[in-house]
Amino acid sequence: MKNEKIVSENFEENKKSNVQESKNTKKKSSAQKAVPILIVSIISLLVILMCLLIAYYQVYKSNKQNANILEGVYASSYYSMVDNVNNLAVDISKYQTLTTKESKINTMNDMQTDCNYILAGLSVLPIERDNAVNATKFFNQVNGVCEAYTAILNKNEDLTQEQELLFAKIGLVLGQIKANLNAQNQGMYDNYFNFIDAGIFDKTGMNELSASMGDLSKDSIEYPAMIFDGPFSTALETKVVKGLGSEEISKEQAEYYLKNTVYSGRDVKVNYLSETTGTIQTWDFSVEIEGKRFNAQVSKLGGLLMSISGYAEAGDSIMGIENAQEMAKTFANNIGFENMEAVWHEQNDNIAYINLASMQDGVILYPDLVKVKVDLTSQEIIGFEAQNYALNHVNRDMEFLLTESEVEDVLGFDYNILKTSKALIRLDDGKEVCTYEFVLERIDGDYFYYINANTKQIEKVMKLVQVKDVQKLI
Amino acid sequence: MKKILICLLIIFSSFMVLTGIGVSAKQLSVNGKTTSAVVDKGIVDAVVADTTEVQTRLKKWGYYTGAIDGINGPKTIAAVKAFQKKYGLTADGIVGPLTAAKMGINLSTSSSSSNYNSNDRYLLAKVIYAEARGESYTGQVAIGAVVLNRVKDSRFPNTIAGVIYQPWAFTAVNDGQINLEPNQTAYQAADDALNGWDPTYGCVYYYNPATATSKWIWSTTKVTQIGKHVFAV
């Protein structure tokens, strides 16, 4: 019995020892297995770290390269601008000593080149908004003065004393800008100024440059309005509405006009949106017609449709352009734009833009243009625009002293006349002139010539060019 | 050791993929344009088909049912393949010269210099899409009109590109959204603006009063509000 007990104890001990041994072996074996995994993990982490470092370096390098390129763009724009401000100041001084028309024209051409370089620099450099606006305006207007004066001298006319004095005033303002810029330029040399490091991205680093430009106050120079009625004109900010009469209509009348005149006989929902208080004051509505939505504006003065804005999906053109022109004319006539003729169209896939001009005694009044947008798929009018008509439409006194055949010889040679018309056009300086419109076919394409019917001067030449699928007059 | 090598190989491959090294350059889609190389009589030109134009035509003919968004995605490629099959062309989904010719699209080469106006249209559509894609159609036309009003205004640069890329003039340029490919609506809104539509009647500024942070906007005069944008002079 005792022996049995001893055997049993030994057996138990052996069993325990075996289990312990087996556990130890297992532990040893898992420890042995864990070593390579640990090594792989450490190496993997190191590789990932290395990859991240390489990636970071690449991003850093790329950012640095981009910053250098940007620095180059800013630096070249800045130095070119400073050089040309100095050139412009010299050219203005030179101009004031000149006596012949030819030398004045040449110098003003140089001044325009200077201005264009300065303006290119200004549009690139990160100058604070208000200052950039003032500076851009100043140089645009100097450019405009040169253009207008060159045109006067080219017509063999003289500049008045007042006009000549304008350059002296411009020279004074320019002298101040030049002094500021040159002082700042010197500061850049002294301090090894760098555009990027100066913190231009948070708009703080360019304060000095901005301040140099900020010395141009809005009303530092008074420009004669007659010169600046053109594209870069202050007069553009104060346009006068001539074509709408003086009677003001109410919001309700505008809504009635839309329902009963513009969309007469159609199932239409009209909702008032807001009013626009710009150059042309309008009542604005949303219009829903047969599931389609448009926005429409009716002028407060005169109660005429000023615009419809609508979008059409692409589709097959079912309607021809001639039918679209007829539809546009009828529509315009029905809503109060009488005696209009289709003078141009532009087709972009299934969308046609029809230009309608007002006619007076057989003369095309190009300044009084109305545009109609037609969806050639649904055969619907989806857009309308009459801003030019509203601004310009009046009854004109027009004079055509010369006949068509008397002015034709200025057209040169090698052409076929496709069409001629009497046309009133508006020049860049805002003046309206009576012209003969000649549509010519030349060996390299079709041209539109506008010859002054009183002076025989070529006022405008436009060429018909194909831009993608669209024909444009440029 | 084998395992270690495999691990390293996987990590290295992932790194290469992540950093973009070794990407196949057979077909790239850049800014919504499908680009392919054409070799003709020894002259190599980058030939570009406008994806928007491709989508528009394919949609018109019933091959494409997706949105006209300028993105050369799987739907567009499938539609191009279907078109190619129908006309007995190699169905590779790439709009090369043969496919383009069948579609009636003129492929413009990178050396083309006569597209002055189409650049204006493209730039204007880009800024409209980036700044106002969530707005109504009129709201989109209005953004285009503001850009064009600035071009005419002496206080701003004299070109469309100059106005759009003037530093800090447009948020979409600062945050890079200008590089999104415009959709058909933005192109049509650009066409309207270029044709003279201006629902703002001469405004040169606009802002969203809910998010605007610049102080100067409060010195402008409000003319109208279209959607979320206030238009001002």
Side-chain angles (χ1 to χ4, degrees):
Chain A
M1 194 65 187
K2 199 180 178 182
N3 279 346
E4 270 179 15
K5 199 179 176 184
I6 291 165
V7 168
S8 165
E9 273 173 5
N10 281 345
F11 177 77
E12 280 302 312
E13 256 177 42
N14 280 342
K15 199 179 170 185
K16 270 183 190 169
S17 130
N18 281 343
V19 169
Q20 188 61 40
E21 211 170 275
S22 155
K23 271 185 185 169
N24 286 343
T25 319
K26 268 186 189 170
K27 266 187 189 172
K28 219 175 183 180
S29 153
S30 21
Q32 271 173 349
K33 276 184 187 171
V35 171
I37 292 172
L38 195 70
I39 293 169
V40 170
S41 306
I42 291 168
I43 291 173
S44 304
L45 279 172
L46 284 172
V47 169
I48 290 170
L49 195 70
M50 198 177 76
C51 292
L52 284 173
L53 279 171
I54 293 171
Y56 174 77
Y57 174 71
Q58 281 198 338
V59 170
Y60 171 79
K61 204 173 135 189
S62 157
N63 281 349
K64 188 79 188 161
Q65 274 174 348
N66 290 340
N68 286 341
I69 291 167
L70 195 60
E71 179 70 29
V73 172
Y74 284 149
S76 67
S77 303
Y78 174 77
Y79 292 118
S80 162
M81 188 183 75
V82 173
D83 286 350
N84 282 286
V85 167
N86 286 326
N87 287 346
L88 183 62
V90 172
D91 286 337
I92 284 185
S93 304
K94 271 188 202 169
Y95 178 88
Q96 289 171 84
T97 67
L98 297 172
T99 50
T100 66
K101 277 180 184 164
E102 198 181 37
S103 58
K104 282 183 176 183
I105 289 170
N106 287 338
T107 310
M108 281 196 286
N109 286 338
D110 289 344
M111 283 155 65
Q112 279 189 270
T113 310
D114 298 334
C115 285
N116 286 329
Y117 277 115
I118 296 165
L119 288 164
L122 277 171
S123 70
V124 172
L125 287 166
I127 298 167
E128 199 266 321
R129 184 196 151 271
D130 281 340
N131 298 331
V133 159
N134 284 340
T136 306
K137 183 170 183 172
F138 174 80
F139 290 109
N140 260 323
Q141 288 187 321
V142 175
N143 205 346
V145 170
C146 293
E147 194 180 340
Y149 284 8
T150 306
I152 293 171
L153 295 180
N154 271 330
K155 282 182 190 169
N156 221 13
E157 292 169 16
D158 290 318
L159 296 177
T160 64
Q161 203 175 359
E162 195 188 346
Q163 286 169 333
E164 294 280 12
L165 268 175
L166 191 61
F167 276 126
K169 291 178 192 170
I170 293 170
L172 283 176
V173 178
L174 193 66
Q176 188 57 46
I177 302 169
K178 190 183 139 186
N180 287 345
L181 271 181
N182 288 339
Q184 198 215 2
N185 201 15
Q186 188 58 46
M188 286 174 68
Y189 275 120
D190 296 342
N191 302 313
Y192 301 105
F193 183 91
N194 178 311
F195 288 92
I196 305 295
D197 294 342
I200 52 156
F201 292 118
D202 57 13
K203 303 184 192 178
T204 55
M206 298 300 290
N207 283 343
E208 279 186 52
L209 179 59
S210 292
S212 302
M213 293 300 169
D215 285 343
L216 298 158
S217 70
K218 198 180 173 188
D219 301 309
S220 56
I221 294 180
E222 274 183 35
Y223 294 96
M226 56 171 285
I227 293 174
F228 296 101
D229 263 356
F232 299 124
S233 156
T234 319
L236 276 183
E237 291 157 28
T238 51
K239 281 178 187 168
V240 179
V241 182
K242 299 178 210 157
L244 292 177
S246 55
E247 200 181 321
E248 196 163 314
I249 64 156
S250 68
K251 186 169 69 183
E252 290 72 26
Q253 284 173 308
E255 191 176 329
Y256 183 86
Y257 164 75
L258 276 177
K259 281 180 180 168
N260 298 289
T261 306
V262 178
Y263 291 106
S264 165
R266 308 282 297 268
D267 183 18
V268 62
K269 277 183 195 165
V270 178
N271 288 313
Y272 173 71
L273 287 176
S274 62
E275 58 183 313
T276 297
T277 54
T279 322
I280 298 168
Q281 304 211 341
T282 58
W283 299 112
D284 303 346
F285 300 89
S286 78
V287 174
E288 200 179 325
I289 182 162
E290 288 147 24
K292 286 183 181 170
R293 271 178 183 275
F294 305 108
N295 273 27
Q297 295 177 307
V298 178
S299 66
K300 288 183 183 178
L301 282 179
L304 274 180
L305 182 68
M306 285 294 101
S307 86
I308 297 174
S309 284
Y311 168 77
E313 291 284 348
D316 288 322
S317 299
I318 293 165
M319 181 186 245
I321 204 76
E322 290 80 13
N323 288 340
Q325 286 175 332
E326 275 310 309
M327 181 193 243
K329 267 170 66 176
T330 310
F331 178 77
N333 190 59
N334 289 347
I335 61 171
F337 297 85
E338 289 164 3
N339 205 14
M340 309 293 282
E341 278 299 325
V343 288
W344 179 252
H345 72 267
E346 185 183 303
Q347 190 180 339
N348 213 335
D349 284 329
N350 58 323
I351 304 296
Y353 293 95
I354 313 289
N355 289 12
L356 301 176
S358 188
M359 302 292 290
Q360 185 187 318
D361 306 324
V363 181
I364 303 168
L365 306 178
Y366 276 112
D368 305 6
L369 218 56
V370 162
K371 298 204 179 195
V372 184
K373 182 179 171 187
V374 182
D375 177 4
L376 301 176
T377 303
S378 67
Q379 305 177 68
E380 290 274 1
I381 285 166
I382 57 166
F384 186 84
E385 196 280 323
Q387 193 180 166
N388 284 318
Y389 184 95
L391 288 171
N392 305 318
H393 184 64
V394 283
N395 204 43
R396 272 100 165 172
D397 290 325
M398 292 177 287
E399 202 170 34
F400 289 76
L401 292 177
L402 301 169
T403 62
E404 216 173 276
S405 52
E406 280 173 326
V407 303
E408 201 191 310
D409 58 307
V410 298
L411 294 172
F413 48 88
D414 284 345
Y415 61 83
N416 288 323
I417 297 177
L418 301 175
K419 195 183 160 199
T420 55
S421 321
K422 283 180 175 177
L424 183 85
I425 64 164
R426 180 182 277 257
L427 303 179
D428 287 343
D429 63 5
K431 280 183 194 162
E432 290 182 348
V433 285
C434 295
T435 64
Y436 287 105
E437 177 187 69
F438 290 90
V439 183
L440 302 183
E441 183 186 45
R442 289 194 188 275
I443 195 158
D444 63 335
D446 293 352
Y447 289 83
F448 283 62
Y449 273 72
Y450 296 89
I451 315 293
N452 193 310
N454 300 308
T455 66
K456 216 174 163 176
Q457 189 168 332
I458 298 175
E459 299 289 4
K460 211 173 221 175
V461 180
M462 297 173 100
K463 190 182 178 190
L464 196 61
V465 292
Q466 189 79 22
V467 181
K468 285 203 168 182
D469 294 337
V470 183
Q471 282 198 319
K472 284 184 182 290
L473 269 178
I474 294 174
Chain B
M1 195 59 196
K2 230 178 180 180
K3 281 180 185 171
I4 296 171
L5 277 171
I6 291 168
C7 279
L8 287 174
L9 218 91
I10 292 168
I11 291 165
F12 184 70
S13 313
S14 315
F15 174 71
M16 293 294 268
V17 169
L18 282 170
T19 51
I21 302 166
V23 171
S24 165
K26 262 190 173 176
Q27 191 189 344
L28 300 169
S29 183
V30 184
N31 284 341
K33 304 222 183 259
T34 311
T35 311
S36 59
V38 177
V39 184
D40 181 24
K41 293 174 189 170
I43 302 162
V44 181
D45 258 334
V47 178
V48 176
D50 186 346
T51 309
T52 309
E53 204 171 337
V54 170
Q55 288 173 333
T56 307
R57 285 175 197 249
L58 290 175
K59 191 164 191 168
K60 200 156 81 176
W61 299 322
Y63 292 92
Y64 179 65
T65 51
I68 296 171
D69 54 9
I71 299 165
N72 193 36
K75 270 191 178 178
T76 310
I77 293 170
V80 172
K81 280 183 181 171
F83 177 85
Q84 287 169 327
K85 269 184 196 166
K86 164 97 179 172
Y87 287 96
L89 301 162
T90 312
D92 55 5
I94 300 168
V95 183
L98 287 175
T99 311
K102 228 26 175 188
M103 286 179 174
I105 294 173
N106 288 326
L107 288 185
S108 55
T109 66
S110 54
S111 57
S112 168
S113 59
S114 61
N115 55 355
Y116 168 80
N117 286 69
S118 61
N119 282 342
D120 281 354
R121 180 180 186 246
Y122 177 56
L123 285 176
L124 207 54
K126 268 163 79 104
V127 79
I128 288 170
Y129 185 71
E131 290 273 319
R133 58 186 176 276
E135 292 292 318
S136 66
Y137 183 70
T138 309
Q140 295 189 33
V141 176
I143 300 293
V146 166
V147 172
L148 296 177
N149 289 336
R150 284 192 178 191
V151 175
K152 288 181 229 158
D153 192 304
S154 65
R155 295 168 293 175
F156 297 94
N158 304 335
T159 60
I160 289 177
V163 165
I164 292 173
Y165 290 103
Q166 193 176 25
W168 301 311
F170 293 98
T171 318
V173 174
N174 290 351
D175 63 19
Q177 290 195 55
I178 188 80
N179 298 316
L180 297 171
E181 184 64 23
N183 60 9
Q184 194 61 27
T185 315
Y187 273 109
Q188 207 173 115
D191 284 339
D192 280 11
L194 286 165
N195 268 293
W197 266 253
D198 178 9
T200 74
Y201 299 101
C203 285
V204 286
Y205 302 110
Y206 66 86
Y207 57 89
N208 181 343
T211 57
T213 51
S214 304
K215 283 177 193 162
W216 62 263
I217 55 162
W218 307 113
S219 63
T220 59
T221 310
K222 177 183 166 179
V223 168
T224 190
Q225 177 154 6
I226 304 172
K228 287 177 187 162
H229 287 135
V230 168
F231 292 84
V233 288

